[in-house]
Amino acid sequence: MPKISMKVNGKTMSGEAEGRTLLAQFLREELDLTGTHIGCDTSQCGACVVHVDGVAVKSCTMFAAEAEGAEVTTIEGMANEDGSLSVIQQAFQDHHGLQCGFCTPGMVMSAAALLKDNPKPSEAEIRDYLEGNLCRCTGYHNIVKAIMAASGQDVGAIAAE
């Protein structure tokens, strides 16, 4: 099997993978980074979102070999250097933006990509951006609040659903 190397969460990592191995599988099974979840296997749920060279991608739609030499950030790489939660992760905790937690890694990674491109998104922009991420527990209300809070905006203006 071919060897694949990439920089994951700031560390050079490598492993073996068949050509058909998806990035999500490679991260979980070969590199033992199990924070990236596989929810649907059809690119519908967004639980597997990671950043590849700074771009949010659904890792179930990309072959591991396509990430050869890339910089990949997973949910494990989102914490601060001292191990404390990032602003986005802390906002999800503070505003109850998670319940079962299955969608949370993908939601956090998508939120980080949104805030990178749009540091002060409106409620409508957040909801539109998260269209590719499914949550079966929260109804998105608290996820939206968490992202608004992470952007430094007032969450009191968000209407209850």
Side-chain angles (χ1 to χ4, degrees):
M1 272 191 280
K3 191 169 193 161
I4 298 170
S5 295
M6 60 189 73
K7 193 174 221 177
V8 183
N9 302 326
K11 297 178 186 174
T12 300
M13 302 179 93
S14 61
E16 294 181 350
E18 295 179 13
R20 66 182 178 185
T21 302
L22 298 173
L23 180 57
Q25 294 169 301
F26 182 77
L27 292 169
R28 291 180 59 80
E29 297 167 14
E30 189 67 21
L31 302 184
D32 201 30
L33 295 169
T34 58
T36 300
H37 292 168
I38 300 172
C40 66
D41 284 331
T42 60
S43 178
Q44 301 296 312
C45 75
C48 68
V49 172
V50 299
H51 297 179
V52 178
D53 291 331
V55 176
V57 299
K58 291 181 179 178
S59 61
C60 74
T61 65
M62 182 177 188
F63 291 117
E66 293 177 284
E68 170 71 37
E71 289 199 29
V72 178
T73 304
T74 69
I75 190 67
E76 290 92 345
M78 291 300 292
N80 296 318
E81 286 188 29
D82 66 0
S84 62
L85 297 177
S86 70
V87 170
I88 296 168
Q89 291 170 310
Q90 189 65 55
F92 267 72
Q93 181 177 346
D94 293 345
H95 295 279
H96 310 288
L98 51 93
Q99 283 183 16
C100 81
F102 197 81
C103 72
T104 304
M107 289 287 186
V108 168
M109 299 306 292
S110 292
L114 169 62
L115 295 178
K116 177 182 161 201
D117 293 339
N118 184 354
K120 299 285 185 195
S122 68
E123 178 182 355
E125 289 170 326
I126 293 169
R127 289 182 184 280
D128 183 59
Y129 194 87
L130 294 179
E131 196 171 278
N133 294 75
L134 299 179
C135 175
R136 292 174 176 93
C137 299
T138 69
Y140 301 90
H141 182 70
N142 289 340
I143 292 169
V144 173
K145 282 174 63 174
I147 296 170
M148 293 284 286
S151 72
Q153 298 183 72
D154 179 22
V155 297
I158 297 175
E161 292 181 357

